[in-house]
Amino acid sequence: MTLLADLAEAEAMAGQSAAQARGTVRLTCSYSMAEQKVAPAIASFVERHPAVKFELVVSDRIVDLVEEGFDLAIRVGALGSDRLVARRLGSMQLVLCAAPSYLERHPEPRIRRTSQDTTR
C-alpha cells in the first residue's frame, strides 16, 4: 500500500510541476516601451510565476527575431514580415510637441500618414 501511495503522490507532484510555468523568455522592446509598460508587467508576472525568467533586450532597432533567437518582441507599428505572428496588445496616442520659439522659426509640423502607419 505504501508503494501505491508514494506513486500517487509522485504523480500528483509531477502534475503540479508540469502545470507550473518555467523557463526563460527572450524578449525585446523599445526603450520607451520597456520603461513605461514592459518592466512593470514583467515584475507582476514574475511575482505570480517565479520559475519564469526574462532576458529583456532593450533596443530601438528592429531585430530579426528568428535570426537573433528571440521568443517575443513588443513593437509599435507595422509588423514588417509575413513570417511572424502579431497580436495587438493595445493602442497608443502620440502627441507632437514643439516649443513656441521653434514654431516662430519653422512651419507648423504636419503628420504625414504612410502605409507603414497601419498594423495588421
Side-chain angles (χ1 to χ4, degrees):
M1 286 299 203
T2 303
L3 182 58
L4 291 177
D6 289 346
L7 181 57
E9 182 180 343
E11 287 178 341
M13 289 175 62
Q16 290 172 354
S17 177
Q20 180 183 7
R22 65 172 21 102
T24 300
V25 177
R26 290 198 73 224
L27 168 66
T28 181
C29 67
S30 67
Y31 288 98
S32 59
M33 189 67 66
E35 183 179 13
Q36 295 174 14
K37 302 289 184 186
V38 176
I42 287 174
S44 175
F45 185 90
V46 170
E47 281 181 20
R48 294 187 317 273
H49 306 281
V52 176
K53 307 295 180 218
F54 283 84
E55 180 183 330
L56 178 60
V57 176
V58 180
S59 173
D60 285 330
R61 77 178 176 84
I62 302 300
V63 300
D64 184 323
L65 300 180
V66 175
E67 185 72 29
E68 297 183 42
F70 284 99
D71 299 306
L72 300 169
I74 300 176
R75 297 291 180 200
V76 175
L79 182 57
S81 172
D82 59 359
R83 298 185 318 151
L84 303 174
V85 176
R87 299 289 184 265
R88 182 180 301 273
L89 298 177
S91 61
M92 295 177 60
Q93 182 178 355
L94 301 178
V95 178
L96 181 62
C97 302
S101 58
Y102 176 89
L103 294 174
E104 288 173 4
R105 297 185 317 272
H106 299 87
E108 183 176 324
R110 301 268 186 241
I111 295 176
R112 180 174 47 117
R113 298 217 179 263
T114 67
S115 62
Q116 294 180 352
D117 291 337
T118 60
T119 59
R120 293 180 192 183

